[in-house]
Amino acid sequence: MSATSSIEWTDATWNPVRGCTKISPGCKHCYAETFAERFRGVTGHPYEQGFDLRLVPEKLAEPLRWSTPKTIFVNSMSDLFHEDVPEAYVEQVARVMQLGKWHTYQVLTKRAGRLNQMLRTKLSHVSGLKHIWWGVSVEDKKYGIPRIDLLHKAPAAVRFLSIEPLLEDLGEFDLSGIHWVIVGGESGAGARPMLESWVIKIKEQCDRAGVPFFFKQWGGVRKSEAGRKLRGRTFDNTPARTVNGVAAGAARLAMIQQVESWHVQSREVVQLGVRRTSRKVATLVA
Ligand code: SF4
């Protein structure tokens, strides 16, 4: 967890889950994996187990300790809806977001089917909350467009798309019921190219549909040199945040104690959730 973030479209990150497994071509150069694997075997480091999936219940209460409202990217180093994260634990994460309503939460996943299913069932009590934004990652037509369809059908108050890394021309797609679109290119060694015409096509669709458009970066091997201007200007549009009052100190303390009491119950859940990273999808993203 970090009280600040260098990610352009958020203020802070919160990682009650660490690690993930690859699921589609957008994962090929996953920055979270690259970062986490750097610390595999470093005793005491949060990423001592590299990118292996694990739950971190001791981090559950962290947003409740922040008394200043922030926009928080939930699980920047994982995917909350990964199939090995138990439903009971996803519910606990959602319960913290419900309690800490003075923040805005951005939950982004590539597991759109599970997001859709849980928002209809176990998470239905939070699906209508405007301070929780639910989003899917989109990188291409084959994997990304079906995720948009699943997000459309999910009963969320605020829906967004993170179209990054954009790997091809997406053509026309349905933006009805979508409240925010972020677009970005891949960065780092081996970054795959993104054409301006692909970005412009998405921006024009956003303009027609009245959807806020955020251009994150061109990416590439030298990300800072490539910058984040599109035809000479930056685009930093976001949806309006819902303003909820910050809970008083005593009330926040009670919330933190409540969430920390879940730790004991979570131990069994943690055991269920821990599994070594599977490499079986390597061919999918090669
Ligand atoms: S889903 Fe996200 S966190 Fe998981 S491997 Fe893919 S890019 Fe990385």
Side-chain angles (χ1 to χ4, degrees):
M1 167 129 177
S2 173
T4 58
S5 171
S6 60
I7 299 171
E8 290 81 355
W9 46 264
T10 199
D11 296 334
T13 54
W14 171 41
N15 285 286
V17 181
R18 293 185 189 133
C20 192
T21 53
K22 294 182 176 182
I23 188 170
S24 65
C27 300
K28 185 176 182 182
H29 298 134
C30 172
Y31 73 90
E33 180 189 37
T34 305
F35 176 87
E37 286 298 331
R38 228 181 273 157
F39 301 101
R40 181 180 287 281
V42 178
T43 305
H45 192 277
Y47 291 93
E48 180 180 356
Q49 296 166 57
F51 202 46
D52 297 352
L53 180 76
R54 61 214 176 279
L55 311 186
V56 196
E58 63 271 24
K59 290 284 182 189
L60 274 174
E62 290 281 358
L64 305 175
R65 301 183 197 284
W66 289 347
S67 57
T68 307
K70 292 179 183 295
T71 301
I72 301 172
F73 179 10
V74 180
N75 282 318
S76 62
M77 296 292 290
S78 183
D79 187 332
L80 182 63
F81 291 97
H82 189 286
E83 53 277 16
D84 287 346
V85 179
E87 278 196 344
Y89 193 76
V90 178
E91 284 181 79
Q92 290 183 346
V93 172
R95 179 74 181 129
V96 172
M97 295 192 286
Q98 186 178 24
L99 287 169
K101 62 183 180 183
W102 55 93
H103 298 304
T104 299
Y105 299 88
Q106 300 160 320
V107 185
L108 180 62
T109 185
K110 282 192 174 72
R111 276 84 179 175
R114 195 171 186 214
L115 165 80
N116 176 302
Q117 179 262 325
M118 285 201 72
L119 283 177
R120 293 174 179 284
T121 54
K122 299 278 177 68
L123 301 184
S124 60
H125 59 295
V126 295
S127 65
L129 299 179
K130 291 186 175 168
H131 71 284
I132 306 177
W133 301 356
W134 305 95
V136 297
S137 297
V138 176
E139 71 269 53
D140 62 10
K141 288 183 187 169
K142 180 178 176 183
Y143 291 91
I145 300 298
R147 289 187 195 125
I148 300 174
D149 291 341
L150 284 161
L151 184 64
H152 278 139
K153 292 172 187 152
V158 182
R159 304 180 187 86
F160 71 100
L161 308 179
S162 172
I163 306 180
E164 184 191 10
L166 177 57
L167 299 178
E168 65 177 359
D169 180 358
L170 295 182
E172 297 283 320
F173 56 95
D174 184 6
L175 281 170
S176 60
I178 301 295
H179 302 91
W180 191 28
V181 170
I182 303 161
V183 176
E186 192 165 54
S187 58
R192 291 162 284 183
M194 177 176 72
L195 300 191
E196 184 187 83
S197 60
W198 305 345
V199 182
I200 291 295
K201 197 176 278 184
I202 295 169
K203 183 185 174 301
E204 287 175 351
Q205 291 181 72
C206 287
D207 291 346
R208 285 200 299 275
V211 176
F213 173 83
F214 190 106
F215 185 59
K216 180 172 177 262
Q217 62 178 37
W218 284 106
V221 179
R222 291 179 195 81
K223 171 183 156 172
S224 57
E225 283 177 24
R228 51 188 303 268
K229 283 193 173 163
L230 177 63
R231 295 196 170 166
R233 60 160 290 196
T234 52
F235 293 90
D236 292 329
N237 301 316
T238 62
R241 272 108 175 137
T242 297
V243 178
N244 291 315
V246 181
R252 279 198 302 118
L253 186 60
M255 289 176 194
I256 291 166
Q257 287 170 344
Q258 180 191 347
V259 172
E260 287 186 337
S261 75
W262 299 342
H263 287 193
V264 177
Q265 302 159 32
S266 292
R267 275 197 194 117
E268 186 185 349
V269 165
V270 172
Q271 292 308 317
L272 287 171
V274 173
R275 199 176 79 172
R276 277 194 66 79
T277 301
S278 165
R279 305 290 175 193
K280 69 186 175 193
V281 294
T283 50
L284 180 68
V285 298

